Amino acid sequence: MRKFVLACLLAVPFIVLSQEKKTYNIGILVDLEQPELIPILEELQNEISDVVGEDAIIRYPEGSLLSNGFDLEKAANNYQTLLASEVDIILAFGIVNNELIIKQESFPKPTILFGTVNNDFVEIKQENQASGIPNFTYLIASRSYRDDLATFKELTSFKKIGILIQQPFMDVYPFATFFDKEMEQLATTYKLITYMNYEDIAPNLQDIDALYIAEAFYLTDGEVKKLAEDCIRLGLPSFTSGSVDDIRLGILATNQGKGNITRFFRRIALTVEAYIDGQNLADLPIYMSFEPNLTLNYNTAEKIGLPIKMSLISRTDFIGDFNEKVSERKYNLLEVMNDVLANNLALQTSQKEVELSEKDLQTAWTNYIPNITADAGATYIDPDLAEISQGLNPEYSTDGTITLSQTLFSAEANTSINTQKDLLASQQELYNADQLDAIFEASNAYFNALIFKSNLQITATNLDLTKKNLEIAEENFEAGLKGKTDVLRFRSELANDMQSMIESANALEQAFYELNRVLNNPIEYNIDVDEAELEKGLFERYNYIQLRELLDDPTLRRPFINFLVEEAKNNAPEIKSLDYNISATGRRIKLNSAGRLLPTLALQGQYNHNFNQWGVGVNPNFVVDNYRVGLNLAIPLVDQNRKNVNRQIAMIQKEQLDLSKSDTNLAIETNVNNAVVSLVNQVSNIELSRISEISAKEALELTQTSYSEGAVTIVQLLDAQNNYLNTSLARATAVYNYLLSSFQLERFIGYYFLLHSRAQNDEFINRFTQYLENNN
């Protein structure tokens, strides 16, 4: 009995295969045949074959693709040709074919009209869910010039718009009458631009502030790209009624969603399948639930300077690369480092402190610069007194005096000069520290900008992913696989993801503001930053990989850390500044100890000249010129104990500075060790985040497939999506965080590799090799 059942089961495939499958020949009517149309038709044909599957054999006989060249009479002949041929099913596409087919009273062969039925011109009652016409159905998609123009107006607030239509289309529909009415509703004006070939378009792009491509399906990809470039060059926002492919070529926006064409082809294929399965075309649904969904080229919007309205983002799909930012200047990291050294305001302020210290030194040197004064005066004396002065004091006299004083030796002056030298050197080291801090601050701003730039790209991708999941949820709801709760949940997630994207965009702008501040640029200066990748571009010349390898080797890590601590202490401007301050304080201690008994030696001189004298008591033998020169030696004996108090103050200050130096040394050692630990964490994070992202992406794809089949819950799908989002963010920022940690370590050791030559960096590594040899 079991053998008999087995034989029956084995016979089933042969019975099925022995049944002859029916063959259906499909003919296609188009308005214009061109190279760009071929891949689209191939995609449609493949979709039909995939959906029909094993139910029938689908063929497209040679000569069954007919084009009318926008000629209504030829379109009628093409239709009759297919009716008279071996074709079993007719697919009609194009505005002229639509004009022909929609007016037919009966259909001898099954005819499916699709793709160009426009709601603005073809008045079909919405309550009709099917054509009701035997052997005929049509598909109405969400396509409307009226809706496009309303969205475009909201997007750009245009005043005068150019409307582009291929000339043959003008003979089919009353475009002028329609647009006259619509422009009046929009309170704007328009310019109708008709063309036969692309050369007719460019000269007519003047005197408008926006371009709406109402009908340009038969422009080639190259022509669409050129049109996009012309619009960008003229600063014109552009909007198309066509597909998302035009947006990828550079047109600004469309109301068509990214998945519309796929869903449209799937619906056509399902319609063909339904007919093959025996359903009457008259009873098949004609509507497709395409919601207007703005698709916008982010890069084109940037190039023409169009700000994106936040009110539109919830229904906008973005195409483009968020990393390709239009800017007045694009910085790499080395340019940021050099510019901050040249332009940073905080550094300029610190440099002024150095200049002030230089003036203090000059002031100290003035103690050894001669002091020369010139005095002149006139004297009047009582005549009676002048008369009895025997010519010493005439009644009237004018005199001049030049006085010279010059310090030849002073312990206090010497100490002041040397102290100011130390303080100047100390201030210069503080400036060097400020330079290191400014470079790190600028580098931090640079990497933050890169991180926020990546975050924006990833949140935009995540937003698209949520929209896709929402479509799956809606399809599952319509198919009865899931409840409406999932749809509502994804709509809520969509709102949250939209807010995340807005916040990411604003965070990127804030990062650029901060970078502009550090570089002393105008805050609104439009800048961008170059990608930073290990072993590529700027970092190809600087061996950050070798640094990573040294830290990744457990046997070398501790010696390398000790070496870095030693380098940091040797390079630290903070320690050098403290050393100069300690030296200056030591000079004051010495001055107020034994130095207080050193004498001060000064030269003094005076020259006198009598210009004239008159009146009573004039002495004709009066000496007109005289001078005197002298040396002054002063030895301090008792100065109210001030020297002793000053010495004690200086000793306390020195002890304070010694404590600060010890604390700074300890802080340097701690900072270097912490920075190395952070860097080691980032080393492992680079590889682990890459693996995590790959796994999360694969898990998401599997979960999406399972969810679309109703096998998993929305919670599982959301968890998979959020996990992929988080791992993508971690992977995108891993290298940036590693480089930022490297720069933090370089700040602590006082040595930035990018600011030194390869030879200097090789010498750095050689010092480590020598250090290892000396400490083994």
Side-chain angles (χ1 to χ4, degrees):
M1 181 67 180
R2 284 181 298 174
K3 291 182 179 180
F4 175 76
V5 173
L6 180 60
C8 291
L9 291 174
L10 291 174
V12 170
F14 294 97
I15 295 173
V16 174
L17 290 174
S18 66
Q19 295 177 356
E20 184 178 355
K21 290 186 290 187
K22 188 173 181 181
T23 298
Y24 289 87
N25 295 320
I26 295 180
I28 302 176
L29 298 174
V30 298
D31 284 347
L32 185 65
E33 186 177 357
Q34 61 182 34
E36 279 73 15
L37 186 62
I38 300 304
I40 297 176
L41 292 178
E42 288 179 351
E43 183 180 351
L44 173 60
Q45 292 169 357
N46 292 334
E47 185 68 27
I48 293 174
S49 298
D50 290 342
V51 170
V52 173
E54 298 295 326
D55 295 343
I57 298 174
I58 302 297
R59 294 178 61 250
Y60 301 91
E62 186 177 352
S64 63
L65 173 63
L66 301 179
S67 168
N68 59 56
F70 300 111
D71 186 322
L72 189 59
E73 183 178 349
K74 187 174 182 181
N77 292 334
N78 289 342
Y79 183 52
Q80 292 302 322
T81 298
L82 291 185
L83 289 178
S85 70
E86 60 179 345
V87 164
D88 301 302
I89 301 172
I90 298 174
L91 303 181
F93 170 70
I95 192 169
V96 175
N97 284 320
N98 171 78
E99 180 72 5
L100 170 74
I101 300 297
I102 204 71
K103 293 179 180 179
Q104 301 297 311
E105 295 182 358
S106 62
F107 298 87
K109 288 187 176 182
T111 302
I112 302 171
L113 178 65
F114 66 93
T116 58
V117 178
N118 193 291
N119 297 339
D120 299 322
F121 294 116
V122 180
E123 295 184 2
I124 301 175
K125 294 181 180 180
Q126 295 289 320
E127 60 268 17
N128 293 338
Q129 299 299 311
S131 71
I133 303 173
N135 263 354
F136 176 67
T137 190
Y138 49 85
L139 298 178
I140 297 179
S142 301
R143 182 179 177 187
S144 166
Y145 301 131
R146 181 181 294 109
D147 293 344
D148 285 354
L149 289 168
T151 301
F152 198 19
K153 176 73 172 180
E154 185 180 0
L155 182 64
T156 64
S157 302
F158 58 79
K159 300 298 181 184
K160 183 178 180 181
I161 186 172
I163 300 178
L164 185 66
I165 301 177
Q166 203 161 4
Q167 180 61 50
F169 286 58
M170 296 293 296
D171 302 328
V172 180
Y173 290 134
F175 284 105
T177 302
F178 172 77
F179 287 123
D180 284 344
K181 180 180 178 181
E182 291 306 311
M183 292 304 109
E184 184 178 352
Q185 293 290 328
L186 293 174
T188 188
T189 59
Y190 78 101
K191 175 182 178 181
L192 199 58
I193 303 173
T194 60
Y195 70 98
M196 288 300 297
N197 51 60
Y198 184 80
E199 287 68 27
D200 300 332
I201 299 175
N204 290 292
L205 297 180
Q206 310 299 324
D207 304 325
I208 57 175
D209 58 11
L211 178 68
Y212 175 51
I213 307 168
E215 291 294 345
F217 179 82
Y218 294 102
L219 286 178
T220 66
D221 287 351
E223 289 171 337
V224 172
K225 185 176 182 180
K226 190 174 187 308
L227 178 59
E229 291 170 351
D230 286 342
C231 289
I232 291 171
R233 177 175 52 81
L234 296 171
L236 291 177
S238 53
F239 199 102
T240 180
S241 65
S243 72
V244 174
D245 290 335
D246 292 344
I247 310 306
R248 293 190 178 95
L249 293 171
I251 298 299
L252 174 66
T254 181
N255 256 338
Q256 304 301 312
K258 292 181 180 178
N260 284 9
I261 189 68
T262 301
R263 294 179 62 191
F264 198 77
F265 285 172
R266 172 60 61 89
R267 181 65 176 274
I268 295 171
L270 290 172
T271 302
V272 172
E273 181 191 38
Y275 171 76
I276 291 174
D277 289 342
Q279 297 185 49
N280 193 328
L281 293 182
D283 301 326
L284 296 181
I286 62 176
Y287 293 107
M288 295 193 68
S289 57
F290 285 163
E291 291 293 331
N293 192 71
L294 184 64
T295 302
L296 187 141
N297 189 309
Y298 176 84
N299 301 120
T300 298
E302 272 215 321
K303 289 174 183 177
I304 64 174
L306 178 69
I308 300 172
K309 293 185 177 180
M310 295 297 105
S311 58
L312 293 175
I313 289 185
S314 62
R315 55 185 177 90
T316 302
D317 289 331
F318 289 98
I319 286 178
D321 188 352
F322 285 88
N323 291 321
E324 293 182 6
K325 185 178 186 295
V326 178
S327 60
E328 298 176 63
R329 181 173 179 185
K330 192 171 187 178
Y331 287 92
N332 63 35
L333 182 53
L334 187 56
E335 290 171 338
V336 166
M337 297 169 75
N338 287 326
D339 276 24
V340 76
L341 291 176
N343 303 321
N344 183 263
L345 290 177
L347 276 183
Q348 293 178 31
T349 301
S350 181
Q351 178 61 43
K352 294 301 178 184
E353 293 293 336
V354 176
E355 293 175 13
L356 289 173
S357 293
E358 290 174 347
K359 296 304 176 184
D360 290 338
L361 176 57
Q362 291 178 10
T363 300
W365 273 109
T366 60
N367 289 314
Y368 282 112
I369 296 176
N371 183 29
I372 301 174
T373 59
D375 297 308
T379 305
Y380 170 75
I381 296 177
D382 186 300
D384 294 334
L385 182 61
E387 186 176 6
I388 65 174
S389 68
Q390 298 180 353
L392 295 177
N393 294 304
E395 182 180 1
Y396 297 97
S397 176
T398 56
D399 301 281
T401 302
I402 296 177
T403 303
L404 166 69
S405 61
Q406 167 72 61
T407 300
L408 299 178
F409 173 80
S410 171
E412 188 166 351
N414 289 344
T415 300
S416 177
I417 292 171
N418 290 323
T419 297
Q420 290 304 323
K421 285 181 180 179
D422 286 335
L423 294 179
L424 173 59
S426 173
Q427 191 62 53
Q428 181 63 52
E429 292 299 334
L430 291 179
Y431 173 71
N432 293 340
D434 289 339
Q435 282 187 316
L436 293 173
D437 289 336
I439 290 171
F440 179 72
E441 182 183 16
S443 302
N444 189 40
Y446 174 87
F447 285 117
N448 280 339
L450 280 175
I451 288 172
F452 286 123
K453 197 173 179 181
S454 294
N455 287 353
L456 177 58
Q457 183 76 54
I458 292 170
T459 53
T461 301
N462 185 64
L463 179 63
D464 288 342
L465 185 58
T466 300
K467 290 178 179 179
K468 181 179 179 181
N469 287 339
L470 175 59
E471 289 178 4
I472 295 174
E474 290 172 339
E475 290 172 359
N476 284 348
F477 172 64
E478 292 172 0
L481 295 176
K482 297 287 182 179
K484 193 173 183 180
T485 304
D486 285 11
V487 175
L488 298 176
R489 175 66 184 275
F490 271 120
R491 287 178 180 170
S492 175
E493 290 295 320
L494 185 65
N496 292 334
D497 292 344
M498 188 62 60
Q499 182 60 32
S500 296
M501 181 177 169
I502 293 172
E503 291 174 355
S504 295
N506 290 335
L508 178 58
E509 286 303 309
Q510 290 175 324
F512 285 136
Y513 293 157
E514 176 62 15
L515 187 55
N516 275 331
R517 182 194 68 80
V518 173
L519 297 175
N520 191 23
N521 291 330
I523 294 301
E524 294 293 338
Y525 187 52
N526 198 358
I527 63 172
D528 195 10
V529 286
D530 271 341
E531 184 61 57
E533 297 182 71
L534 289 175
E535 296 187 293
K536 292 183 180 180
L538 177 64
F539 295 93
E540 187 176 1
R541 295 185 292 128
Y542 299 92
N543 206 345
Y544 281 85
I545 297 297
Q546 187 174 8
L547 175 63
R548 185 173 70 180
E549 291 171 351
L550 287 171
L551 294 174
D552 198 38
D553 188 337
T555 61
L556 293 178
R557 186 180 303 160
R558 176 44 56 187
F560 189 54
I561 291 174
N562 294 337
F563 166 74
L564 291 178
V565 169
E566 185 176 294
E567 284 285 313
K569 292 179 179 179
N570 291 335
N571 295 334
E574 295 88 353
I575 291 180
K576 293 177 182 178
S577 175
L578 287 170
D579 284 338
Y580 285 119
N581 276 284
I582 290 171
S583 175
T585 306
R587 295 181 191 281
R588 290 195 293 271
I589 293 173
K590 185 176 180 180
L591 173 66
N592 291 289
S593 298
R596 62 185 176 179
L597 299 177
L598 293 175
T600 299
L601 179 64
L603 172 68
Q604 294 180 339
Q606 183 173 312
Y607 170 77
N608 303 303
H609 177 75
N610 178 256
F611 294 104
N612 58 11
Q613 49 182 268
W614 66 96
V616 179
V618 174
N619 183 356
N621 298 317
F622 181 77
V623 178
V624 175
D625 299 303
N626 62 86
Y627 65 89
R628 62 186 178 87
V629 177
L631 286 175
N632 182 45
L633 181 66
I635 300 176
L637 297 177
V638 178
D639 65 345
Q640 301 173 323
N641 201 36
R642 290 178 182 174
K643 294 285 185 181
N644 189 45
V645 172
N646 289 338
R647 182 179 62 83
Q648 293 173 357
I649 292 174
M651 291 178 66
I652 294 172
Q653 290 173 335
K654 184 177 181 301
E655 291 173 358
Q656 185 182 40
L657 290 169
D658 287 334
L659 291 172
S660 294
K661 182 178 178 180
S662 298
D663 183 57
T664 302
N665 276 309
L666 186 59
I668 288 173
E669 189 170 352
T670 302
N671 289 336
V672 169
N673 277 270
N674 286 336
V676 168
V677 171
S678 176
L679 200 54
V680 170
N681 290 338
Q682 298 305 329
V683 168
S684 61
N685 186 42
I686 290 176
E687 181 61 22
L688 293 177
S689 62
R690 185 186 67 82
I691 295 172
S692 296
E693 184 189 31
I694 293 173
S695 301
K697 183 179 182 181
E698 184 177 354
L700 174 61
E701 291 171 350
L702 293 173
T703 307
Q704 270 185 327
T705 301
S706 298
Y707 179 78
S708 65
E709 296 171 351
V712 299
T713 66
I714 186 176
V715 174
Q716 291 170 291
L717 179 56
L718 286 173
D719 285 345
Q721 181 179 344
N722 289 332
N723 185 45
Y724 178 57
L725 171 64
N726 293 331
T727 56
S728 296
L729 291 172
R731 193 272 312 156
T733 59
V735 171
Y736 304 146
N737 286 330
Y738 167 75
L739 289 172
L740 185 56
S741 295
S742 297
F743 269 74
Q744 187 176 47
L745 177 60
E746 291 171 35
R747 167 59 188 96
F748 291 144
I749 65 176
Y751 185 95
Y752 288 107
F753 290 100
L754 285 179
L755 293 179
H756 292 81
S757 67
R758 177 171 295 181
Q760 290 172 317
N761 292 332
D762 289 342
E763 176 59 27
F764 182 90
I765 299 300
N766 291 337
R767 288 200 300 274
F768 172 59
T769 303
Q770 187 63 44
Y771 177 87
L772 282 179
E773 294 176 357
N774 294 339
N775 289 274
N776 280 338

